[in-house]
Amino acid sequence: MTDAPGQRRWAEAMRAALEEAERALAHADVPVGAVVVDADGRVLGAGHNRREVDRDPTAHAEVLALRAAAHARGEWRLEGCTLVVTLEPCAMCAGASVLARVDRLVFGAYDEKAGAAGSLWDLVRDRRLNHRLEVVTGVLAPECGAVLRRFFDAHREADLGFGGTQGV
């Protein structure tokens, strides 16, 4: 985890990612949100999980935010940008952030079940790859975790048998 100044620096962008996460609830997707910001802190792309509504296994918040940022920039290389996400990325999203060449990954809650930025794997800092990201963790972690816990608690209470792989 980074120091308090690092936490404060990314709090505003994480709040934007949390707003995105809340949007996923409208269509019963796991509430994960992401934004890509440029060096000036301007949001270039945003996304929230849309796997259920789009019936697309790749419609994770991070992938959608990276796509939107690349479109806004007019190129796939997102050098100088930061991906801010409420939950530690899975292997697919961690790989996508490496391939997009973002400089930094900022996330709120760790994902002990599927995290690929320090929990299970550390793809974003793997020395064998051609690009590595700076990682800032724990930004607004209590808020990020709370959104996910509320979602999963509600599904358990409703006994829907939800078997999602993204958890807290």
Side-chain angles (χ1 to χ4, degrees):
M1 187 171 321
T2 61
D3 60 4
Q7 299 291 310
R8 285 191 300 271
R9 177 179 181 196
W10 298 108
E12 182 179 343
M14 186 60 76
R15 281 191 268 286
L18 279 163
E19 289 176 16
E20 282 294 322
E22 294 285 344
R23 289 184 178 108
L25 296 171
H27 40 80
D29 266 289
V30 177
V32 176
V35 295
V36 175
V37 297
D38 66 12
D40 296 324
R42 237 181 357 253
V43 174
L44 298 177
H48 57 274
N49 276 1
R50 294 185 53 89
R51 294 181 306 170
E52 299 298 328
V53 71
D54 291 348
R55 295 180 173 86
D56 179 355
T58 68
H60 288 208
E62 301 94 323
V63 170
L64 299 175
L66 290 167
R67 286 177 184 162
H71 180 76
R73 262 211 167 163
E75 65 174 317
W76 63 268
R77 289 176 191 85
L78 298 176
E79 293 157 337
C81 293
T82 299
L83 172 63
V84 180
V85 60
T86 57
L87 181 66
E88 178 183 3
C90 68
M92 175 183 70
C93 295
S97 60
V98 170
L99 294 173
R101 309 291 197 274
V102 297
D103 287 357
R104 183 178 304 100
L105 167 66
V106 176
F107 68 86
Y110 277 95
D111 186 348
E112 301 297 331
K113 295 179 183 178
S119 289
L120 292 180
W121 304 281
D122 199 351
L123 293 177
V124 297
R125 293 179 285 202
D126 191 319
R127 294 174 52 136
R128 295 169 293 182
L129 298 177
N130 63 340
H131 180 74
R132 287 170 291 288
L133 284 65
E134 174 189 343
V135 178
V136 178
T137 66
V139 176
L140 301 183
E143 295 91 330
C144 294
V147 171
L148 290 159
R149 277 190 296 283
R150 281 194 309 272
F151 174 81
F152 286 109
D153 287 349
H155 275 78
R156 284 184 201 100
E157 288 173 16
D159 195 29
L160 296 176
F162 184 79
T165 59
Q166 288 188 330
V168 179

